[in-house]
């Protein structure tokens, strides 16, 4: 009997276009051991104890930024740094030459001192002009064309079809005008309505009321019900939050469009995006290279017990269970994890994602615009893909296309369960089928499809989350500093690094070593 899975495997192995055989597609689901390790329970007896000044839990952007800040301050105390995964970087990690998650950052806002300092230290900012505006390494500026859209017939530049009906074009223009107005608004406290990092945004209650309604309801109240403006709004919400306009707040939905305001001179650069072939994996590697404290990977935090003068952390690494006793802890872990042991008042949910790396002999063809950094398909289930060859200028040779699919159609917990039980053949077939309408020759050029599941990928800024402007400052214990990006309610490099730097500065002050400069 021929089963569906057997049929899928046969299609992946032989192809069926015009009866011609194509080389087999191979691949696997990678990183599954991280999920299994994180969900495992139980531990052996503690077999050793280590005393340190600082313990950093987690080596995503928050944890790596904390280590960067300690080093920048000249900290010469003892540090233990542990990470659940086999690789550092969390959802920002890259695999040598391509991204496995976050794949760009935006130009810094003027007030983002921590972000500018990081980019300058990593050589992305190469200097400043007499007015204090940064200059950037040209290799990090996103090359043109940046985005293209498959409209069902051909590829066109941008995120909207080249021709819109008059009523749709009018609604898009009205939405853009609203965003421009919000971008310039300031609250009674003198702060911008929306800023990056989120902590710099106005606390004015008149603005924060937007957090109490959904983005979908806000759009409807503005009379913005056309398909084009709804498409733009939904794409943005799925892209940044892995969710839907009905599930996130209007405050968060507008933040995406209104918070980015780099120095005026930067508008001449032709892009607001910084990126690399390996996406934010480049930033991960650069930050890690500047830390003098190695990260112990494959380490599961099994216990976190905060006392008056110290914090006990029990870590399981393979067959070994050890105890770390720290004077202070930087917990760059999701809030839901810390809440197992300490009272965390606000615990945002995280969206599940399916990511696929398609290794191709050449870029697949399709009518219209031949290539771009980011390729988006109208009507597809996923968000499309980015090409790791774009920043190298190798537009026509071998490449890895990283495909993004937020499981935003249902409850996040249901999406996570579906990913845990998914088989590679089904996953690969789903990805190839989603891209096939735009690329009839895709099956002929792809050689490998690896799939990665992020069960807890991006933070969902649900309705109500940002109504209280101070929730992300609350610590669960005086000696435990939260440093995960979910404390901002959104998963951005600028936010994760802000929490890491802020936590490190707090830990330094607690240890009697306050930094001479404050970046947060």
């Amino acid at each position: 009997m021929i089963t569906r899975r057997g049929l899928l495997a046969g299609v992946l192995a032989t192809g069926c276009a015009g009866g011609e055989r194509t080389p087999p597609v191979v691949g696997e689901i990678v990183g599954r051991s991280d999920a299994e390790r994180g969900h495992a329970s139980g531990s052996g007896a503690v077999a050793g104890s280590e005393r340190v000044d600082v313990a950093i839990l987690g080596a995503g952007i928050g944890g790596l930024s904390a280590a960067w800040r300690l080093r920048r301050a000249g900290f010469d105390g003892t540090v233990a740094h542990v990470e659940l995964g086999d690789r550092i970087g969390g959802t920002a990690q890259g695999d040598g030459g391509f991204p496995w998650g976050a794949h760009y950052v935006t130009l810094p806002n003027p007030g983002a001192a921590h972000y500018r300092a990081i980019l300058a230290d990593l050589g992305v900012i190469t200097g400043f002009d007499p007015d204090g505006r940064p200059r950037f390494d040209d290799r990090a500026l996103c090359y043109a064309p940046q985005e293209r859209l498959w409209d069902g017939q051909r590829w066109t530049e941008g995120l909207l079809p080249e021709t819109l009906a008059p009523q749709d074009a009018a609604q898009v223009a009205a939405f853009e005008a609203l965003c421009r107005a919000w971008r310039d608004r300031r609250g009674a406290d003198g702060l911008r309505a929306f800023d990056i990092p989120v902590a710099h945004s106005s606390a004015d209650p008149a603005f924060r009321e937007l957090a109490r309604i959904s983005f979908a309801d806000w759009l409807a109240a503005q009379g913005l019900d056309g398909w084009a403006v709804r498409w733009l709004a939904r794409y943005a919400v799925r892209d940044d939050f892995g969710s839907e306009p009905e599930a996130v707040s209007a405050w968060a939905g507008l933040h995406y469009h209104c918070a980015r305001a780099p120095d005026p001179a930067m508008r001449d650069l032709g892009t607001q995006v910084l990126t690399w072939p390996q996406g934010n994996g480049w930033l991960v590697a650069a930050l890690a290279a500047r830390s003098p404290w190695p990260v112990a990977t494959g380490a599961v935090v099994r216990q976190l017990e905060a006392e008056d003068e110290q914090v006990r952390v029990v870590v399981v690494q393979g067959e070994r269970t050890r105890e770390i006793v720290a004077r202070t802890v930087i917990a760059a872990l999701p809030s839901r994890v810390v809440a197992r042991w300490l009272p965390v008042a606000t615990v945002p949910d995280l969206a599940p994602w399916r990511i696929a790396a398609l290794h191709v002999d050449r870029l697949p063809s399709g009518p219209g615009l031949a290539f771009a950094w980011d390729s988006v398909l109208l009507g597809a289930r996923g968000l499309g893909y980015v090409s790791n060859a774009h920043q190298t200028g190798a537009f026509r040779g071998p490449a890895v296309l990283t495909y993004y699919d937020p499981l935003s159609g249902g409850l996040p917990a249901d999406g996570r369960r579906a990913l845990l039980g998914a088989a590679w053949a089904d996953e690969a077939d789903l990805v190839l089928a989603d891209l096939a309408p735009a690329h009839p020759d895709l099956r002929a050029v792809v050689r490998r499809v690896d799939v990665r599941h992020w069960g807890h990928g991006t933070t969902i800024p649900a309705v109500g989350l940002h109504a209280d402007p101070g929730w992300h400052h609350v610590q669960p214990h005086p000696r435990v500093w939260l440093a995960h990006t979910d404390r901002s309610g959104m998963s951005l490099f600028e936010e994760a690094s802000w929490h890491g730097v802020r936590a490190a500065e707090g830990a330094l002050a607690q240890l009697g070593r306050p930094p001479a400069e404050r970046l947060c």
Side-chain angles (χ1 to χ4, degrees):
M1 181 176 70
I2 299 177
T3 65
R4 180 174 180 271
R5 180 170 296 180
L7 179 62
L8 285 169
V11 170
L12 290 171
T14 64
C16 56
E20 297 181 4
R21 295 179 63 85
T22 56
V25 174
V26 298
E28 61 180 328
I29 295 179
V30 303
R32 185 159 273 179
S33 60
D34 292 353
E36 293 170 350
R37 186 181 299 125
H39 287 95
S41 60
S43 64
V46 175
S49 183
E50 175 188 9
R51 289 190 170 273
V52 297
D53 294 310
V54 182
I56 303 176
L57 312 180
I61 295 301
L64 293 171
S65 297
W68 171 86
R69 187 66 185 95
L70 294 176
R71 180 202 63 84
R72 181 181 174 92
F75 184 65
D76 57 2
T78 52
V79 177
H81 197 167
V82 300
E83 160 61 31
L84 167 71
D86 291 323
R87 302 170 61 98
I88 63 172
T91 55
Q93 67 184 248
D95 193 358
F98 63 91
W100 266 125
H103 50 281
Y104 72 94
V105 293
T106 54
L107 302 179
N109 285 6
H114 79 287
Y115 182 33
R116 289 187 176 217
I118 289 174
L119 293 180
D121 189 43
L122 302 187
V124 180
I125 290 178
T126 59
F128 295 85
D129 69 13
D131 295 321
R133 292 185 292 248
R135 302 187 185 96
F136 294 91
D137 180 352
D138 288 344
R139 295 170 296 179
L141 297 170
C142 189
Y143 296 172
Q146 294 178 37
E147 295 169 324
R148 62 175 181 168
L149 177 75
W150 174 255
D151 64 5
Q153 301 294 327
R154 60 196 296 270
W155 290 103
T156 62
E157 189 167 3
L159 285 177
L160 284 170
E162 291 181 332
T163 303
L164 289 175
Q167 63 270 26
D168 290 317
Q171 286 208 359
V172 170
F175 177 64
E176 291 175 343
L178 280 171
C179 290
R180 284 193 299 271
W182 274 107
R183 199 173 295 135
D184 295 332
R185 290 188 67 178
R186 292 183 179 270
D189 51 14
L191 300 178
R192 295 180 60 231
F194 306 100
D195 207 344
I196 297 176
V198 164
H200 292 180
S201 299
S202 175
D204 193 319
F207 299 161
R208 294 293 173 148
E209 282 300 306
L210 289 165
R212 301 187 188 279
I213 62 172
S214 75
F215 193 30
D217 286 346
W218 182 86
L219 289 168
Q222 311 307 310
L224 300 173
D225 55 0
W227 81 265
V229 73
R230 290 283 181 158
W231 148 253
L232 282 176
R234 182 171 185 257
Y235 173 81
V237 166
R238 296 184 77 216
D239 181 46
D240 253 26
F241 311 136
S243 192
E244 297 284 340
E246 292 77 13
V248 308
S249 74
W251 191 94
L254 285 167
H255 184 278
Y256 177 98
H257 296 278
C258 305
R260 295 169 176 87
D263 289 333
M266 296 188 208
R267 295 171 188 164
D268 298 331
L269 295 175
T271 180
Q272 289 197 15
V273 172
L274 301 169
T275 189
W276 302 265
Q278 60 271 56
N280 289 13
W282 185 93
L283 293 164
V284 167
L287 283 170
R290 281 157 176 76
S291 173
W293 305 289
V295 179
T297 56
V300 185
V301 176
R302 285 287 175 242
Q303 185 176 343
L304 185 65
E305 184 178 333
E307 302 170 357
D308 290 341
E309 300 297 327
Q310 63 185 24
V311 182
R312 296 178 62 254
V313 184
V314 177
V315 174
V316 179
Q317 190 173 16
E319 299 299 319
R320 181 189 177 202
T321 301
R322 63 190 176 103
E323 177 187 69
I324 301 171
V325 181
R327 295 172 63 192
T328 188
V329 163
I330 296 172
L333 305 171
S335 297
R336 63 182 178 83
V337 176
V338 180
R340 297 173 185 173
W341 308 289
L342 296 173
V344 179
T346 304
V347 181
D349 203 351
L350 302 173
W353 286 71
R354 172 187 292 109
I355 311 294
L358 287 76
H359 298 253
V360 297
D361 292 336
R362 58 173 173 79
L363 294 183
S365 62
L369 187 65
F371 57 83
W373 167 65
D374 189 9
S375 298
V376 180
L377 284 73
L378 194 63
R381 64 169 293 144
L383 297 174
Y385 62 85
V386 296
S387 169
N388 77 326
H390 195 73
Q391 290 299 102
T392 69
F395 302 127
R396 305 189 187 283
V400 178
L401 312 179
T402 302
Y403 165 92
Y404 297 86
D405 180 16
L407 278 65
S408 59
L411 295 175
D414 292 338
R416 286 189 279 272
R417 279 191 288 270
L419 292 179
L420 280 173
W424 173 80
D426 295 330
E427 294 288 272
D429 181 69
L430 183 151
V431 172
L432 293 173
D434 201 32
L435 297 177
H439 296 304
D441 64 338
L442 178 62
R443 182 60 190 79
V445 301
V446 67
R447 294 293 170 262
R448 183 177 185 92
V449 178
D450 291 321
V451 179
R452 178 148 201 150
H453 296 150
W454 294 114
H456 302 275
T458 48
T459 310
I460 301 173
V463 174
L465 183 64
H466 288 98
D468 174 10
W471 67 272
H472 52 265
H473 290 288
V474 179
Q475 289 180 233
H477 187 275
R479 292 190 177 273
V480 177
W481 302 84
L482 299 181
H484 192 271
T485 186
D486 69 4
R487 304 315 299 165
S488 284
M490 49 191 66
S491 299
L492 301 174
F493 178 92
E494 302 94 310
E495 301 295 342
S497 57
W498 187 87
H499 286 287
V501 169
R502 174 178 175 269
E505 292 184 347
L508 286 167
Q510 191 170 59
L511 296 172
R513 298 278 302 274
E517 58 171 348
R518 294 300 297 264
L519 299 177
C520 289

